[in-house]
Amino acid sequence: MKTESMNGIWFLEGGGEMGELTRQKDWTNTSLGPPEHWPRSLQITLSILLNSKFPMFLWWGPELICFYNDAYRPSLGIEGKHPSILGMEAKSAWTEIWDIIKPLIDKVVEKGESIWFEDLLVPIYRNGKIEDVYWTFSYSPVYETAARVEGVLVTCTETTTKINIKRQLEESERKLRLVISQAPIAIGIFRGREYVTELANSKALELWGRSEEEVMNKPILDVMPELKSQNIKDFLDEVYCTGKTFSAIEHPVQMLRNNKLETAYVNFSFDALYHQGNVDGIMAVGSEVTEQVMARKHIEANEEKLNIVINASELGTWELDLDTYELTYSGKYASVFGYREDAALTHAEFLKHMHPDDLPVREKAFKDALQSGYIQYQGRLIWNDNSVHWFLCRGKLFFTEEGKPSKMIGTIQDITPDKSYQQNLEQSERRFRNFIMQSPTATVILRGADQVIEVVNGAMLKRWNKSEDQMVGKKFLDVFPEIKGTRIPVLLNTVFKTGKPYREIESVSYIQDADGRRTRYVDFEYSPLFEGNGKVSAIIATVSDVTERVEARKQIEESENQLRILSSSLEKKVSERTTELEHKNTDLEKMNKELQSFAYISSHDLQEPLRKIQTFASRLLETEFESLSTKGKDQFRRMQLAAERMQTLIDDLLTYSRTNTAERKFEKGELKAIVDEVREDLKEEIKESQATIEVTEACEVNVISFQFRQLMQNLIGNALKFAHPDRRPWITIKSRIEDGINLQQADPVKSYCHITLSDNGIGFEPEYNERIFDLFQRLHGRNEYRGTGIGLAIVKKIVENHYGFITAKGSPGQGATFEIFIPVN
């Protein structure tokens, strides 16, 4: 309809895009006709809908014509239904959800009741595909008169984003617990003033020497009473009361592990957990460093012993005649080679103890001595017990008056302790540096009062967005001049001067990267490194990004709040649903009684006059048929046919009702045996039509025998009834046990007996695939084919009595296929 023709139609004025589309649409070809003739109630409703800022949708009239406003428009997405569904009938516009919304619309129209749903999944076609969309909506009746509902008004809000966020929070909480459970350090969470264990990962259980059953949901101090006398409770109480973090490094803790009391050295921290602004728990994070502490103490002890050995050691002396290779030596010399001081050996016998790999070193040292006059080298000796020892040899070369080398005099020293100390020191240094470089915690070592960057690992380089060449060997303040006016230099200088570490928990920090400046939370610590003289020589700075931990804690707190709200709502809904189910059960009992009454009437009161009609008709047929006129005979035949159809209808209705009320006794039986019984019952019909019934595969099935025989008789009887006039009927039946049925009605974890019955009859249009099972559904006229339209409804009811489902597929002129799925487990 053109815009100029809308003048004076006040209820379509305004309304943005949808108001304009409504005005421009040609309504004369719709069931509503021109807008000027629309009912007053529709005009008022549309005026409200088009000018509302809240999403609204309207279905109007028997065809449920679609209207919606600009606020509703975004919910349709792009490449979807907009704007084509404006003015379209609801059944055509909403085919993908018609089975969901049609019962709701009928309830509003028939009962005049409003309905409301919250966060209901209603998938719709939009953005070029079917999308899962969640809605909170209300359906309200729009009355044409006081007694007639003419339209259904929908007010709705899409809640898909809210549902997705809720799922993301749940996933986030799951991931947090997974991270904690797989963390390489011990983590435990204790709730309340009794410090009841809520969570403990495998590392924590290993550290405590307890099993999960021993600690979960129990006060940790009751499970580990040995901690009560070690100030652990005082540390916990302080954190719980003040909210301040407590941390300790290499703290000795006695714990009962493996049925004995052991002293373990632990690095740990206690952090307060908050709920609604109050402390309600503590998270304990720790790692055992007993091996490191004991190793350090062992090294310190070795260093002390080494100093004593060095101070008390004596040098072994030796003299070698270069002409005769006769060796003169002191007792200490022999002991360096692993012999008693009074041992008597030749130079060659001593030389056999040289490590083969060090002989080239000795030969080179002798050659160099011919030039310099002095000899010095280190090597290894293999004692008779196969132990290896290091030595240091020094000496001087003496010449004859002719300048010929004549002898060497020197000393030998067992330097094995020095070598062991040096190797341990170098190994410790390498391990220390490797630990720092491989640590996921951002770490840097600042050497000296000038804070020169000595070591920086990859995590710190990434955090600072710098390369190693830009940092190592440079002063910290030269690399980052922008921090000169901040508190960081002051803190570093304080740690260097006082030797006291400084630590902050969940400090706000900022990172500049490709995505811009981002706020992060970090735990950082400046710890002094001491030399042997007790003076601070360097500072080790570590930074741990705990943003995810902070945000996860906040999300957990928010999730708990939402969970309480949801729990309250669910309790209310459960109560309402229980009341509703009680009412429905009462109605169902009433309907069952009415059905039983109907069955009684059908089997007695309705059939008695019908039998009399048939009896009197038979008598008239025998005595008066020839006296009737041609028209009378025709009417008489019609009366007989009507009586027969009435009898068939009553029998079919009784059969249908009994499928609900009959006793359900399941028995195992072979499908082929059931088909053979039906074949015998239909022997005359099969012979008359020259039909072939072929059973290609058959399995054992657990069924209600008489009902399943009725089911097969109805399906085979249908195939015979609707045979193609140009060919003999051919019916094929097969069955097999299948798992993982990929159909909407199927349970994916169940196994089914899959029965297929196919014929080569007249078939039917695909549009009747679902409707063919409806009660009284007939696809052909009664003059073409006999029947009441109840047979397939009985089949479907019997399948449902077996907790299964049935599908049908037809092709005109080609035949029909029925597939039955009966669960076997």
Side-chain angles (χ1 to χ4, degrees), residues 440-569:
T441 303
T443 308
V444 63
I445 295 178
L446 307 177
R447 180 66 63 182
D450 291 336
Q451 297 165 12
V452 175
I453 299 172
E454 183 179 86
V455 178
V456 59
N457 67 3
M460 188 66 87
L461 291 173
K462 182 178 179 182
R463 178 173 185 80
W464 285 339
N465 196 23
K466 301 279 187 183
S467 69
E468 190 171 4
D469 293 340
Q470 291 175 300
M471 301 187 66
V472 175
K474 297 179 176 62
K475 294 181 180 180
F476 183 64
L477 292 181
D478 290 344
V479 177
F480 298 101
E482 64 272 16
I483 68 170
K484 288 183 179 178
T486 68
R487 64 186 181 124
I488 293 177
V490 177
L491 293 175
L492 291 171
N493 289 332
T494 302
V495 172
F496 191 84
K497 292 177 181 179
T498 65
K500 295 180 179 180
Y502 179 82
R503 186 183 189 197
E504 280 193 18
I505 303 299
E506 296 180 4
S507 176
V508 177
S509 177
Y510 302 97
I511 291 181
Q512 187 73 31
D513 56 18
D515 296 327
R517 191 168 183 258
R518 294 184 294 145
T519 301
R520 310 293 291 175
Y521 294 91
V522 298
D523 292 352
F524 72 88
E525 183 172 1
Y526 302 147
S527 300
L529 293 178
F530 296 93
E531 292 291 343
N533 56 11
K535 291 184 178 181
V536 177
S537 63
I539 295 174
I540 180 169
T542 58
V543 181
S544 299
D545 191 318
V546 294
T547 304
E548 291 186 3
R549 184 184 77 194
V550 174
E551 292 177 349
R553 186 179 68 243
K554 292 179 180 179
Q555 289 177 352
I556 289 172
E557 294 171 357
E558 180 64 24
S559 296
E560 290 175 347
N561 290 335
Q562 292 181 358
L563 184 60
R564 281 192 294 275
I565 295 171
L566 180 61
S567 176
S568 175
S569 175

Side-chain angles (χ1 to χ4, degrees), residues 601-614:
I601 292 171
S602 298
S603 61
H604 296 84
D605 298 349
L606 288 179
Q607 294 196 65
E608 180 58 30
L610 185 61
R611 280 193 293 270
K612 289 181 178 180
I613 291 172
Q614 291 174 324

Side-chain angles (χ1 to χ4, degrees), residues 715-784:
L715 289 178
I716 295 173
N718 258 21
L720 298 174
K721 184 195 308 181
F722 296 107
H724 196 284
D726 298 331
R727 51 180 175 259
R728 292 166 52 186
W730 190 288
I731 304 168
T732 302
I733 303 172
K734 60 182 179 180
S735 65
R736 60 182 178 274
I737 304 299
E738 293 183 359
D739 298 322
I741 302 297
N742 188 22
L743 291 173
Q744 184 179 1
Q745 307 99 311
D747 188 333
V749 302
K750 286 187 176 182
S751 298
Y752 289 84
C753 176
H754 180 188
I755 303 170
T756 303
L757 187 147
S758 302
D759 64 51
N760 62 343
I762 62 173
F764 53 85
E765 295 289 345
E767 62 187 82
Y768 292 104
N769 286 351
E770 297 291 337
R771 293 167 51 192
I772 198 171
F773 296 106
D774 292 347
L775 197 62
F776 301 116
Q777 178 66 52
R778 294 177 55 88
L779 306 187
H780 308 279
R782 64 179 56 175
N783 293 329
E784 298 178 78

Side-chain angles (χ1 to χ4, degrees), residues 51-257:
N51 292 283
S52 174
K53 299 300 182 182
F54 194 86
M56 290 186 177
F57 196 100
L58 175 65
W59 286 301
W60 188 267
E63 295 83 8
L64 299 173
I65 301 299
C66 298
F67 296 89
Y68 55 99
N69 62 7
D70 281 1
Y72 186 88
R73 160 71 186 89
S75 295
L76 296 176
I78 59 175
E79 298 180 13
K81 301 177 181 298
H82 176 75
S84 60
I85 65 169
L86 178 63
M88 188 183 292
E89 294 183 9
K91 185 175 181 180
S92 300
W94 299 98
T95 55
E96 72 274 25
I97 57 171
W98 186 241
D99 59 334
I100 298 176
I101 64 175
K102 181 59 167 62
L104 304 179
I105 295 173
D106 290 345
K107 184 176 181 180
V108 175
V109 173
E110 293 170 6
K111 297 186 178 181
E113 298 178 358
S114 295
I115 58 175
W116 179 84
F117 290 92
E118 183 178 13
D119 297 334
L120 181 68
L121 173 61
V122 183
I124 66 171
Y125 182 84
R126 67 180 186 185
N127 301 324
K129 62 181 183 300
I130 294 293
E131 291 186 0
D132 286 345
V133 184
Y134 292 85
W135 307 85
T136 294
F137 63 89
S138 171
Y139 284 11
S140 303
V142 181
Y143 289 88
E144 173 63 19
T145 65
R148 188 171 90 242
V149 175
E150 192 66 22
V152 176
L153 180 64
V154 182
T155 55
C156 60
T157 300
E158 183 178 344
T159 59
T160 305
T161 301
K162 183 186 80 173
I163 295 299
N164 289 338
I165 290 174
K166 177 183 175 183
R167 290 176 176 173
Q168 289 171 2
L169 287 175
E170 292 172 349
E171 179 64 13
S172 228
E173 183 175 352
R174 185 191 69 80
K175 287 182 178 178
L176 175 61
R177 288 186 172 269
L178 183 62
V179 167
I180 290 176
S181 68
Q182 296 180 352
I185 58 175
I187 300 177
I189 293 179
F190 312 119
R191 290 293 180 186
R193 288 303 300 263
E194 297 300 319
Y195 311 119
V196 175
T197 306
E198 180 182 275
L199 184 149
N201 66 3
S202 58
K203 289 294 183 181
L205 298 174
E206 179 182 345
L207 174 63
W208 300 340
R210 280 8 182 229
S211 66
E212 187 175 7
E213 292 76 16
E214 290 178 287
V215 302
M216 292 304 295
N217 301 315
K218 298 175 184 176
I220 188 63
L221 295 178
D222 289 348
V223 177
M224 302 178 70
E226 66 270 20
L227 300 180
K228 294 181 180 179
S229 61
Q230 301 180 62
N231 298 325
I232 299 298
K233 185 177 186 306
D234 296 336
F235 300 153
L236 291 168
D237 288 344
E238 180 181 0
V239 174
Y240 196 96
C241 294
T242 65
K244 295 180 180 180
T245 297
F246 176 85
S247 61
I249 303 297
E250 297 182 359
H251 189 83
V253 182
Q254 288 189 322
M255 289 183 286
L256 189 63
R257 301 190 294 193

Side-chain angles (χ1 to χ4, degrees), residues 678-679 682-691 693 720:
V678 173
R679 199 198 309 261
L682 299 175
K683 180 168 61 177
E684 295 301 326
E685 289 88 340
I686 294 171
K687 181 178 180 181
E688 180 181 349
S689 62
Q690 296 183 329
I693 301 176
L720 298 174

Side-chain angles (χ1 to χ4, degrees), residues 219-419:
I220 188 63
L221 295 178
D222 289 348
V223 177
M224 302 178 70
E226 66 270 20
L227 300 180
K228 294 181 180 179
S229 61
Q230 301 180 62
N231 298 325
I232 299 298
K233 185 177 186 306
D234 296 336
F235 300 153
L236 291 168
D237 288 344
E238 180 181 0
V239 174
Y240 196 96
C241 294
T242 65
K244 295 180 180 180
T245 297
F246 176 85
S247 61
I249 303 297
E250 297 182 359
H251 189 83
V253 182
Q254 288 189 322
M255 289 183 286
L256 189 63
R257 301 190 294 193
N258 300 320
N259 296 320
K260 63 180 180 180
L261 201 60
E262 298 178 355
T263 298
Y265 293 85
V266 185
N267 294 344
F268 68 92
S269 66
F270 293 154
D271 294 280
L273 299 177
Y274 292 85
H275 176 64
Q276 296 183 347
N278 297 318
V279 177
D280 78 328
I282 291 176
M283 180 169 69
V285 179
S287 59
E288 184 174 358
V289 292
T290 304
E291 289 186 6
Q292 297 93 307
V293 172
M294 298 306 295
R296 190 186 69 248
K297 290 185 175 183
H298 182 67
I299 291 174
E300 291 172 352
N302 282 343
E303 290 176 348
E304 182 179 356
K305 292 178 181 178
L306 180 60
N307 289 330
I308 296 173
V309 170
I310 291 174
N311 293 331
S313 65
E314 297 180 0
L315 297 175
T317 60
W318 54 273
E319 181 178 337
L320 178 64
D321 188 321
L322 297 179
D323 290 329
T324 63
Y325 281 92
E326 182 180 349
L327 179 67
T328 304
Y329 54 88
S330 65
K332 188 61 178 176
Y333 181 94
S335 66
V336 171
F337 284 82
Y339 291 98
R340 293 173 52 183
E341 292 189 358
D342 58 355
L345 294 101
T346 66
H347 176 256
E349 290 173 327
F350 280 121
L351 194 59
K352 288 180 181 179
H353 289 280
M354 280 289 297
H355 195 290
D357 293 343
D358 294 339
L359 288 174
V361 176
R362 179 180 180 278
E363 292 174 3
K364 183 178 182 303
F366 269 78
K367 289 180 180 179
D368 292 341
L370 294 175
Q371 301 297 324
S372 65
Y374 294 93
I375 186 171
Q376 180 173 324
Y377 69 97
Q378 295 181 9
R380 287 166 291 178
L381 298 173
I382 302 175
W383 287 11
N384 289 329
D385 61 2
N386 290 323
S387 61
V388 177
H389 299 260
W390 282 89
F391 69 92
L392 171 62
C393 181
R394 294 187 181 97
K396 183 179 180 181
L397 180 60
F398 293 87
F399 297 87
T400 64
E401 293 180 356
E402 293 81 14
K404 179 183 177 182
S406 62
K407 62 179 178 181
M408 278 186 177
I409 298 175
T411 63
I412 190 170
Q413 182 182 7
D414 188 342
I415 61 170
T416 301
D418 290 342
K419 276 290 184 181

